[in-house]
Amino acid sequence: MILKERKIDTWVGDPTNCYILLEEESKEIMVIDPAGEAEKIEEMIHILGGKLKYIYLTHCHGDHICGVTELKNRCGGKILIHREDAEGLNDAEINLTPYIKEEKIELEADSRIDDQDLIHLGNLQFRVIHTPGHTKGGTCLYCEKENCLFSGDTLFRGTWGRTDVPTGSIEEIMDSITHKLMVLPNETICYPGHGLSTRIKDEKPIYLELKPKLI
């Protein structure tokens, strides 16, 4: 797998991490959370020499979906999001796009996904992990073969996603992280929706031993 990352400024704090994944044999590509800069993402797709198969949304917030419509118009691809966040794509009070782009964004998912669904990109298999807490339909995407997790706004390096937003819940996000993510292999690399990457073993003390992140 070839993995490229773009940091996209949406003017709400830390830039959003957009990930572009290429399965080398099939040349199939998945883009995770295209927050904007669709033309630059399209350019990267052309550089990689692949074809966009999926646009995967970890959740419905505007700082993760602002580039979806333009990217789909440019490159095609099926929009995937958990069914419990699909309605938020068309609800400005949930996706918060007016606070991010000063306009409403309305999207329709091509497919609504569920917990434990498997998404195939050529010979790679990604497992959907439903992790409510930041939003009720938030998800992470795990690839055992590549030893990586795309954790959206559920798990960050040294902390967790905000829960003071529509459909958020501190109890649910702690349950999601503790019981669904901390059980993954220690060396799993976590690629979050904002900030730096981390590893499961480096985050375990926070959730399993209640110790603060020191570095």
Side-chain angles (χ1 to χ4, degrees), residues 9 14 20 28 32 53 75 77 110 189 191:
D9 189 0
D14 286 342
I20 304 164
E28 292 180 343
I32 300 176
K53 184 177 183 180
C75 302
D110 293 298
I189 301 171
Y191 296 102

Side-chain angles (χ1 to χ4, degrees), residues 24 31 44 60 68 107 130 155 166 175 209:
E24 296 169 87
V31 174
M44 180 56 67
C60 66
V68 172
L107 295 173
H130 182 210
L155 179 68
D175 183 72
E209 302 171 23

Side-chain angles (χ1 to χ4, degrees), residues 24-129:
E24 296 169 87
E25 184 175 337
S26 66
K27 298 297 183 182
E28 292 180 343
I29 286 176
M30 176 162 54
V31 174
I32 300 176
D33 290 346
E37 301 184 0
E39 73 286 352
K40 294 181 180 179
I41 298 173
E42 180 186 24
E43 181 181 0
M44 180 56 67
I45 290 172
H46 289 325
I47 290 172
L48 292 172
K51 179 178 176 57
L52 182 58
K53 184 177 183 180
Y54 296 124
I55 299 171
Y56 187 93
L57 305 178
T58 59
H59 61 292
C60 66
H61 283 160
D63 61 330
H64 290 251
I65 68 172
C66 282
V68 172
T69 297
E70 185 178 354
L71 181 61
K72 185 176 176 66
N73 289 341
R74 286 172 174 267
C75 302
K78 292 184 176 181
I79 301 169
L80 309 180
I81 193 169
H82 192 275
R83 66 177 62 255
E84 291 195 25
D85 259 23
E87 65 183 61
L89 295 177
N90 287 301
D91 188 335
E93 292 186 4
I94 294 177
N95 65 41
L96 306 176
T97 52
Y99 300 97
I100 296 164
K101 206 175 180 183
E102 296 184 352
E103 65 182 65
K104 291 183 179 180
I105 293 178
E106 295 186 352
L107 295 173
E108 286 293 339
D110 293 298
S111 293
R112 290 163 171 77
I113 55 176
D114 292 299
D115 188 47
Q116 303 302 313
D117 278 356
L118 300 177
I119 297 171
H120 293 90
L121 199 68
N123 292 318
L124 292 176
Q125 177 174 283
F126 297 83
R127 176 165 59 89
V128 175
I129 304 176

Side-chain angles (χ1 to χ4, degrees), residues 14-17 19 33 58-59 63-64 134 140 149 151-163 173 177 181-182 190-200 202-204 206-207 213:
D14 286 342
T16 299
N17 296 333
Y19 300 101
D33 290 346
T58 59
H59 61 292
D63 61 330
H64 290 251
H134 181 60
C140 299
L149 176 80
S151 59
D153 283 8
T154 298
L155 179 68
F156 299 124
R157 186 177 186 269
T159 188
W160 53 89
R162 292 177 59 173
T163 58
I173 204 168
I177 293 172
L181 301 186
M182 292 300 107
C190 302
Y191 296 102
H194 306 273
L196 300 174
S197 61
T198 185
R199 295 175 298 180
I200 288 294
D202 295 323
E203 303 305 314
K204 277 187 174 180
I206 297 174
Y207 304 97
K213 185 84 170 182

